[in-house]
């Protein structure tokens, strides 16, 4: 049983560019959450998707947007990249209607130069 | 005040020691509580849920104090492999999950 998979694992972008990160949830999970983790910090909630809609959002600007597809996979898009967007981006999936325990992917390490 | 606060440590303990971490949360309506473990440059992994009555999983014991709004994690008989960052996680009503910044633990031989 494949767990949560994310791609790419590493990425280097230039300031002002746009990036798309991808996530496939664990089998049987239909809810996907995205987190940003800066070095030495805990993960910060960006948003959660369920039934192809954004269900809740953390304190992130509109430059951060997402999408969920009918097969429950998800994308995180970040526009107009800033140096401060450099971080580990984690995707977590969970089954709906049950305890919100989440299973994380290995993350995408984004470096903005 | 941060929504979830943890002592960042690091905690440096010898093998076999008992170590305890505390975590406080600000939203009294919070419903679900967890401890996650994160190894260096890896993703967080669920260690254990925290139940109101307290719960134990082998060498790990988690406690919840709703009146004082804190949760704790006790690790007995520490192993070298317990070295990691321990993240306190709170899920208030709704869908947003809040992570603490983590407590670093180093277990030395």
């Amino acid at each position: 049983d494949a767990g949560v998979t994310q791609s790419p694992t590493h990425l280097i972008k230039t300031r002002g560019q746009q990036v798309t990160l991808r996530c496939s949830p664990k089998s049987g999970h239909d809810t996907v959450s995205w987190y940003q983790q800066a070095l030495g910090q805990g993960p910060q909630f960006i948003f959660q998707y369920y039934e192809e809609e954004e269900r809740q959002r953390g304190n992130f600007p509109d430059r951060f947007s997402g999408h969920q597809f009918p097969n429950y996979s998800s994308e995180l898009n970040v526009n107009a990249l800033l140096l401060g967007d450099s971080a580990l981006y984690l995707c977590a999936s969970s089954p709906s209607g049950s305890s919100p325990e989440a299973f994380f992917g290995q993350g995408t390490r984004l470096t903005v130069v | 005040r941060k929504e979830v606060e943890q002592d960042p440590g690091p905690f440096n303990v010898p093998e076999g020691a008992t170590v305890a971490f505390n975590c406080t949360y600000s939203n009294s309506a919070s419903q679900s509580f967890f401890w996650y473990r994160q190894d260096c440059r890896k993703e967080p992994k669920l260690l254990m849920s925290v139940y109101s009555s307290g719960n134990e999983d082998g060498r790990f014991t988690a406690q919840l104090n709703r009146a004082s709004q804190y949760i704790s994690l006790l690790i007995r008989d520490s192993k070298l492999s317990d070295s990691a960052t321990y993240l306190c996680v709170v899920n208030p009503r709704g869908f947003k999950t809040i992570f603490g910044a983590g407590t670093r633990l180093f277990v030395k031989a």
Side-chain angles (χ1 to χ4, degrees):
Chain A
D1 173 28
V4 180
T5 58
Q6 292 185 243
S7 63
T9 55
H10 295 82
L11 201 53
I12 299 176
K13 288 287 190 177
T14 304
R15 273 182 302 175
Q17 285 189 314
Q18 178 265 344
V19 68
T20 297
L21 311 181
R22 295 177 176 83
C23 172
S24 292
K26 183 177 169 64
S27 178
H29 289 188
D30 59 9
T31 302
V32 173
S33 302
W34 286 93
Y35 295 84
Q36 179 195 67
Q37 187 174 26
L39 202 60
Q41 300 297 317
Q44 299 295 310
F45 177 80
I46 302 175
F47 41 53
Q48 184 181 84
Y49 277 84
Y50 171 69
E51 292 188 341
E52 301 180 50
E53 291 197 359
E54 183 182 292
R55 190 154 72 165
Q56 189 154 3
R57 188 180 184 91
N59 296 324
F60 280 80
D62 292 344
R63 297 186 298 109
F64 290 77
S65 64
H67 189 77
Q68 186 178 34
F69 299 93
N71 66 353
Y72 310 126
S73 66
S74 178
E75 290 182 348
L76 165 65
N77 300 291
V78 186
N79 294 322
L81 285 167
L82 304 173
L83 295 179
D85 294 333
S86 295
L88 179 68
Y89 288 84
L90 294 160
C91 168
S93 74
S94 53
S96 61
S98 64
S99 176
E101 295 154 338
F103 294 83
F104 284 83
Q106 82 283 6
T108 294
R109 191 163 297 279
L110 172 65
T111 303
V112 182
V113 297
Chain B
R1 181 184 175 187
K2 290 183 179 178
E3 292 177 280
V4 177
E5 293 199 71
Q6 294 183 251
D7 180 345
F11 285 65
N12 293 287
V13 303
E15 271 187 298
T18 295
V19 62
F21 309 135
N22 285 333
C23 165
T24 59
Y25 60 94
S26 61
N27 188 336
S28 60
S30 296
Q31 289 187 307
S32 305
F33 308 88
F34 308 91
W35 284 101
Y36 277 73
R37 170 198 169 122
Q38 186 171 27
D39 293 296
C40 187
R41 303 183 74 82
K42 298 286 190 180
E43 74 275 19
K45 291 185 178 178
L46 179 66
L47 180 65
M48 59 195 303
S49 302
V50 186
Y51 302 121
S52 297
S53 56
N55 49 298
E56 190 174 303
D57 183 2
R59 297 181 294 107
F60 298 84
T61 300
Q63 296 277 354
L64 167 63
N65 185 319
R66 286 190 183 273
S68 301
Q69 294 180 210
Y70 77 83
I71 68 173
S72 64
L73 178 68
L74 182 77
I75 305 175
R76 291 181 299 278
D77 188 24
S78 298
K79 311 292 185 191
L80 294 176
S81 57
D82 293 334
S83 297
T85 296
Y86 290 84
L87 299 162
C88 168
V89 182
V90 175
N91 187 265
R93 290 182 185 274
F95 314 110
K96 176 182 173 183
T97 298
I98 304 168
F99 281 74
T103 298
R104 287 189 298 161
L105 172 66
F106 295 103
V107 181
K108 300 176 292 184

